Amino acid sequence: MLLAMLCMTTRAQMKEPVHTSAEMKILDGVEAELLFHLHIDAGWHVYSPKVTGGPIAASFNADKMQGAKIIGSLTFRGKEITKYDQQFGQELQFFENSVTFVQHIRLTEPQYDIDCYLEYGACNDEMCMPPSEVSLKVKGERPATATDEHSTKAEQPEPAKEATEAIDTTVTFESVGATDTISPYSPIAEDISSPTLEEASSPSLLYTFLAGLLGGLLALLTPCVWPIIPMTVSFFLKRNKERSKAIREAFTYGMSIVVIYVLLGLIVTLLFGANALNALSTNAWFNIFFALLLVVFAASFFGAFEITLPESWTNKVDRKSEQTTGLLSIFLMAFTLVLVSFSCTGPIIGFLLVAVGSQGELLGPTIGMLGFAIGLAVPFALFALFPSLLKSVPKSGGWMNVVKVTLGFIELAFALKFLSVADLAYGWHLLDREVFLALWIVIFTLLGLYLLGIFHFPHDDEGRRTNVPQFFLALASLAFAVYMVPGLWGAPLRAISAFAPPMSTQDFKLQEEAVTARFNDYEQGMSAARAEGKPVIIDFTGYGCVNCRKMEGAVWSQAQVADILNNDYVLISLYVDDKTPLDSIIIVNENGQERKLRTVGDRWSYLQRANFGANTQPYYVLLDNDGQLLNGYRSYDEDVDAYLEWLKQGLQTFRKKK
């Protein structure tokens, strides 16, 4: 009963710092705008669609677009402020006082029926509100003339009365001597902050740059690029009798390569935008597309076919470079190199953009392409500065195709990672942990055997022999395959815990310390905890959460931690990206507005926001079996001793209360 009173008190203190309205405005007979007006209280701000990796960004979502089609991405009308935020540790874009978010649509049929909403996040200097929605439901007939203008105010959604929707979100908990009915979707404490941990930060752009740099250096070693280096440098040195001028032109050539690839990264950013890039890591169909794309790239590197641009493009650019002079001529020569080498660099660039885009960083593609271009262009400048080095570099040969094939095996392995995210999110169970590991073992075993010359691919030289570098690479690949074999029987395999599916998907485990959540449902787990007289650890996690897998592999696999989790607590793992549809839609009131929970993941994500005021994973909370906090939370931190001490403190608090 005390918990219920606390919930009611918390609800009474709920703030509504943002006041909203919505409308549709028809521009002509075909084009229209969906307008979401937000008036923001003093001291509060709403975040821009550009924000990634921190607070909730504004985003447009459509439940029904009958007779209409979305055009472009969400835009805004208002003064955008950019400022570094100490709480989130990053530069953020937000709005104060007021803003209007605009989504353009095209009316494609005479009659239209639209049900959509804007999701946004609001914060002040002390707190953040849970994600909120502005709903818009409109239906009508498209104007007969292109000059008509029409504005329809948003229809407020009526409370659901059909059997397909559920409004009651309360859950009955049974306890000794009493039965209380309380809601699991209300804050259980005013402050659940941890004095010892900070929220996990998003991947650093420095790592993105370094990944791009490595990709550029690998691209150098392919047969499409390596032979061009001495030819190009020699061309500039012979073209100009003055060595200083030749060096300047070679440097200009290298800088042109950098500019071209950075422009490519900018184009990707502009086409997708912040919201789309941020959605890539959890959207199952995007992950399936990426997996198939990487399989195509791998097949290309194996020699099944070549991914090339139209030959007419190369010829036109090449002819243009010969007809022009000065800087434009050098830039067009660099562009010719980019086109000619695309069959080798394309799969590497594609893999890089896929990996970087799935991290959700707005500037990720641009920074990644900058690193790639520098890695590719530096040798041209280096050899122009020191031409004598050309005599000592390895000559072109079959070893370059070996590099291509090796990259193909690696891309094939990562394709399984992206496919695994989709498989986990939709519960298909096609790539459970042992299946995933078996495929990786086969892939890296085949790579080792290939490097040893056991078998060949179409573009390999006849009679190819294994050299010393290939031997050591083969040794590493085969050793890695052997390392993964115990994982088929439940070994944690910490080195790949971030990539492999969670241990809970594995059916056969010999390791006694393996930790598997007994429950993936909040209410069922709490009922079991009361029946067994044990405290609860709630694990807010995600199928696509890399840091969650790292914690499970590095921390939960430790014998002492596993013993406590398995024997002293009831572990409840709640996957916030579980796409399983709910039996009925749950309509909840969040921050004074109705919100629809459509999937199991929606439900657990809302539970985390409403109860614990957080939306990042992994996120661990200790409760007694009445739903009361035992101590602070923990997020991503691989300090085993600190995690163990946190668990023990929770047990001590639980035993004192009992």
Side-chain angles (χ1 to χ4, degrees):
M1 186 62 69
L2 177 62
L3 179 57
M5 293 174 63
L6 177 59
C7 292
M8 291 187 290
T9 301
T10 305
R11 283 182 177 179
Q13 296 175 347
M14 287 289 287
K15 296 180 181 293
E16 295 183 13
V18 182
H19 312 279
T20 64
S21 62
E23 62 178 322
M24 185 178 84
K25 185 175 183 180
I26 297 181
L27 304 178
D28 54 37
V30 175
E31 305 291 332
E33 292 179 335
L34 304 178
L35 304 173
F36 301 91
H37 307 291
L38 278 64
H39 297 277
I40 309 164
D41 289 350
W44 289 81
H45 47 264
V46 170
Y47 292 100
S48 168
K50 299 178 183 178
V51 171
T52 60
I56 301 298
S59 63
F60 175 78
N61 304 271
D63 290 333
K64 181 190 293 186
M65 291 295 290
Q66 183 177 331
K69 179 181 179 181
I70 297 173
I71 303 175
S73 57
L74 185 70
T75 60
F76 55 83
R77 295 171 186 167
K79 182 181 179 181
E80 185 183 62
I81 301 171
T82 300
K83 185 178 179 181
Y84 184 83
D85 190 289
Q86 295 288 346
Q87 179 181 358
F88 291 100
Q90 66 184 81
E91 195 172 74
L92 298 175
Q93 296 81 29
F94 55 86
F95 305 93
E96 296 179 344
N97 301 321
S98 65
V99 62
T100 295
F101 292 102
V102 183
Q103 179 62 60
H104 287 267
I105 63 171
R106 177 179 292 114
L107 302 177
T108 58
E109 298 178 9
Q111 294 185 337
Y112 57 85
D113 186 358
I114 300 171
D115 185 357
C116 60
Y117 62 93
L118 173 85
E119 183 179 70
Y120 66 91
C123 294
N124 62 11
D125 293 335
E126 298 178 355
M127 62 178 293
C128 289
M129 303 300 294
S132 304
E133 294 180 1
V134 189
S135 299
L136 175 61
K137 297 175 69 174
V138 291
K139 60 173 61 177
E141 294 184 0
R142 184 175 63 188
T145 65
T147 58
D148 292 340
E149 289 190 1
H150 177 69
S151 178
T152 304
K153 288 294 180 183
E155 298 178 9
Q156 297 300 322
E158 295 293 329
K161 298 179 180 180
E162 300 178 7
T164 57
E165 296 195 353
I167 302 177
D168 186 5
T169 62
T170 58
V171 176
T172 301
F173 293 96
E174 296 182 1
S175 58
V176 178
T179 300
D180 294 333
T181 301
I182 63 176
S183 171
Y185 303 109
S186 304
I188 65 171
E190 295 181 358
D191 183 13
I192 193 174
S193 61
S194 170
T196 58
L197 286 178
E198 298 290 338
E199 291 291 339
S201 60
S202 59
S204 169
L205 289 177
L206 175 62
Y207 295 130
T208 299
F209 174 80
L210 294 177
L213 185 65
L214 177 61
L217 294 174
L218 289 173
L220 279 174
L221 304 178
T222 60
C224 307
V225 180
W226 186 261
I228 300 178
I229 297 176
M231 293 169 54
T232 306
V233 174
S234 298
F235 168 79
F236 283 114
L237 293 176
K238 292 177 181 179
R239 171 177 168 174
N240 299 286
K241 295 181 180 180
E242 295 181 11
R243 184 169 180 272
S244 59
K245 184 177 180 181
I247 292 175
R248 284 198 303 272
E249 289 195 351
F251 269 100
T252 304
Y253 183 77
M255 287 302 300
S256 298
I257 295 174
V258 173
V259 169
I260 291 169
Y261 281 111
V262 169
L263 286 175
L264 174 62
L266 286 172
I267 290 172
V268 171
T269 299
L270 293 174
L271 286 177
F272 288 95
N275 288 336
L277 291 175
N278 194 45
L280 298 183
S281 60
T282 56
N283 187 285
W285 297 109
F286 268 119
N287 278 278
I288 292 173
F289 171 75
F290 288 158
L292 295 176
L293 190 64
L294 291 181
V295 171
V296 172
F297 288 160
S300 173
F301 274 163
F302 291 153
F305 50 82
E306 286 192 359
I307 302 175
T308 58
L309 296 174
E311 189 175 347
S312 59
W313 294 10
T314 306
N315 293 335
K316 288 180 181 179
V317 175
D318 191 31
R319 286 196 302 269
K320 194 68 176 178
S321 66
E322 293 177 356
Q323 297 170 2
T324 56
T325 58
L327 294 178
L328 180 58
S329 173
I330 296 174
F331 180 84
L332 291 174
M333 289 178 62
F335 197 45
T336 303
L337 167 69
V338 172
L339 297 178
V340 170
S341 62
F342 185 78
S343 61
C344 292
T345 59
I348 299 176
I349 293 171
F351 174 70
L352 179 64
L353 291 176
V354 165
V356 171
S358 66
Q359 293 178 354
E361 289 281 359
L362 176 60
L363 294 178
T366 303
I367 298 299
M369 286 297 96
L370 175 63
F372 180 87
I374 290 175
L376 195 64
V378 161
F380 290 95
L382 185 63
F383 289 127
L385 192 60
F386 304 104
S388 59
L389 292 177
L390 288 171
K391 300 178 181 179
S392 59
V393 299
K395 296 182 179 180
S396 303
W399 63 269
M400 292 183 296
N401 193 67
V402 174
V403 173
K404 281 183 61 177
V405 172
T406 301
L407 292 175
F409 276 107
I410 294 174
E411 294 204 339
L412 193 60
F414 275 95
L416 292 175
K417 164 58 183 172
F418 287 103
L419 185 59
S420 172
V421 173
D423 177 71
L424 290 167
Y426 282 90
W428 296 330
H429 298 292
L430 300 175
L431 273 180
D432 287 345
R433 189 172 184 269
E434 57 263 53
V435 177
F436 181 93
L437 291 177
L439 290 171
W440 265 38
I441 290 170
V442 171
I443 288 172
F444 285 97
T445 299
L446 289 175
L447 173 58
L449 296 178
Y450 169 78
L451 292 172
L452 291 176
I454 303 301
F455 62 94
H456 306 279
F457 282 98
H459 293 166
D460 285 325
D461 293 341
E462 293 185 8
R464 177 176 65 88
R465 299 176 63 183
T466 300
N467 55 34
V468 174
Q470 291 178 31
F471 172 79
F472 282 107
L473 284 174
L475 185 64
S477 183
L478 292 172
F480 182 56
V482 173
Y483 164 79
M484 290 187 287
V485 170
L488 298 174
W489 290 273
L493 303 182
R494 297 174 200 167
I496 63 168
S497 59
F499 303 99
M503 188 72 72
S504 59
T505 65
Q506 183 147 340
D507 298 324
F508 184 64
K509 296 183 287 287
L510 292 180
Q511 186 187 21
E512 295 181 359
E513 292 82 12
V515 176
T516 302
R518 292 171 54 193
F519 299 95
N520 297 120
D521 181 275
Y522 177 78
E523 289 81 14
Q524 292 178 5
M526 292 298 293
S527 297
R530 286 190 296 274
E532 299 173 16
K534 291 182 178 180
V536 172
I537 174 170
I538 299 182
D539 163 35
F540 288 101
T541 183
Y543 292 120
C545 174
V546 172
N547 285 341
C548 301
R549 304 293 86 76
K550 288 182 178 179
M551 286 293 291
E552 293 163 9
V555 179
W556 284 12
S557 62
Q558 299 300 310
Q560 287 183 288
V561 174
D563 180 66
I564 292 179
L565 292 177
N566 286 330
N567 300 317
D568 298 326
Y569 283 95
V570 172
L571 174 59
I572 307 173
S573 288
L574 305 178
Y575 289 84
V576 300
D577 53 0
D578 189 337
K579 302 299 182 182
T580 304
L582 293 170
D583 293 336
S584 58
I585 296 176
I586 300 176
I587 300 179
V588 296
N589 190 298
E590 185 175 10
N591 194 25
Q593 297 184 15
E594 285 189 346
R595 182 182 179 89
K596 293 181 179 179
L597 309 181
R598 301 168 177 82
T599 67
V600 172
D602 288 345
R603 187 183 187 191
W604 304 143
S605 178
Y606 177 61
L607 175 68
Q608 182 185 6
R609 297 193 308 270
N611 279 41
F612 309 108
N615 63 356
T616 59
Q617 297 80 43
Y619 190 86
Y620 308 103
V621 185
L622 300 182
L623 306 175
D624 64 17
N625 47 40
D626 291 322
Q628 299 289 339
L629 286 171
L630 294 177
N631 57 5
Y633 74 89
R634 286 194 73 84
S635 57
Y636 174 67
D637 183 3
E638 295 186 23
D639 187 335
V640 176
D641 293 335
Y643 197 89
L644 187 61
E645 181 63 25
W646 175 69
L647 292 174
K648 290 179 178 178
Q649 288 178 358
L651 284 175
Q652 292 176 1
T653 303
F654 177 74
R655 288 162 182 165
K656 288 179 181 178
K657 293 177 68 173
K658 293 300 180 182

